[in-house]
Amino acid sequence: MSNQSTDEKAVNVDWENESSEKAWEAKLLAMPTSDYMNDEQLQFFRHRLLAERSELEVHLKEIKTAIASHERDSDEADQASFEEELRLALRQADRESRLLSNIEAALKRIENGEYGYCEETGEPIGLPRLFFRPTAKLCIEAKERQESKEHHYRKARWE
């Protein structure tokens, strides 16, 4: 028996094929605005988020394995090189861990019926923005306001 629900089978997308994904995006974009966040669109984004989560989990496991397998008996130059690689790997793992949290939050919003709508205004985020960033919580206007506030805060803080 498969772990995949009947709903998830409804949108069977070949995620290994970029042209197939683009074809699905075009199909969803062609839908009338009254169909915004219908079952088919929600399944598309759920599947996309689950696939991205799976890829990130595999990559994070690879990073942890690489870090754990390092031999400490190398010369100073090798050790310095490893420490630089480790620093970069840890930064990447941190970013990916935060992205995993955002993916989990987006999946919960799908389950709660809140996915695709701006947390600040309640307006639709829009399919093009969600195709670009499926974890988006804010519409573009709200995100621009947030970034503007952050910019002004940073500027005032450093002056």
Side-chain angles (χ1 to χ4, degrees), residues 39-152:
D39 289 342
E40 195 169 12
Q41 291 175 355
L42 289 171
Q43 291 304 326
F44 174 87
F45 287 110
R46 177 182 289 117
H47 194 281
R48 189 170 185 178
L49 288 161
L50 290 171
E52 190 171 346
R53 180 179 72 181
S54 179
E55 287 176 26
L56 284 171
E57 288 170 341
V58 167
H59 190 251
L60 281 169
K61 187 175 182 179
E62 290 171 357
I63 290 173
K64 289 177 186 177
T65 302
I67 291 169
S69 68
H70 175 67
E71 293 181 25
R72 307 244 183 250
D73 296 336
S74 53
D75 65 27
E76 286 182 31
D78 288 343
Q79 190 63 33
S81 175
F82 170 75
E83 287 175 5
E84 180 62 18
E85 289 174 16
L86 176 63
R87 184 182 67 78
L88 294 172
L90 290 173
R91 285 182 61 198
Q92 184 174 6
D94 181 54
R95 279 193 305 272
E96 290 179 359
S97 294
R98 282 184 273 138
L99 181 54
L100 272 177
S101 296
N102 290 340
I103 289 171
E104 291 300 328
L107 289 167
K108 284 181 183 165
R109 288 193 306 277
I110 288 174
E111 296 306 316
N112 296 337
E114 299 168 357
Y115 184 80
Y117 294 93
C118 180
E119 287 184 348
E120 187 176 297
T121 66
E123 294 295 316
I125 292 172
L127 293 176
R129 177 157 166 71
L130 290 170
F131 289 144
F132 181 72
R133 186 168 310 279
T135 58
K137 297 184 262 186
L138 300 173
C139 62
I140 196 72
E141 294 82 11
K143 185 64 176 172
E144 287 172 347
R145 280 192 302 274
Q146 179 192 50
E147 289 175 353
S148 177
K149 287 178 188 176
E150 289 172 357
H151 174 72
H152 290 302

Side-chain angles (χ1 to χ4, degrees), residues 22-33 41 126-128 131:
K22 294 294 180 198
W24 268 99
E25 288 179 7
K27 178 183 176 186
L28 298 180
L29 283 170
M31 293 179 175
T33 56
Q41 291 175 355
L127 293 176
F131 289 144

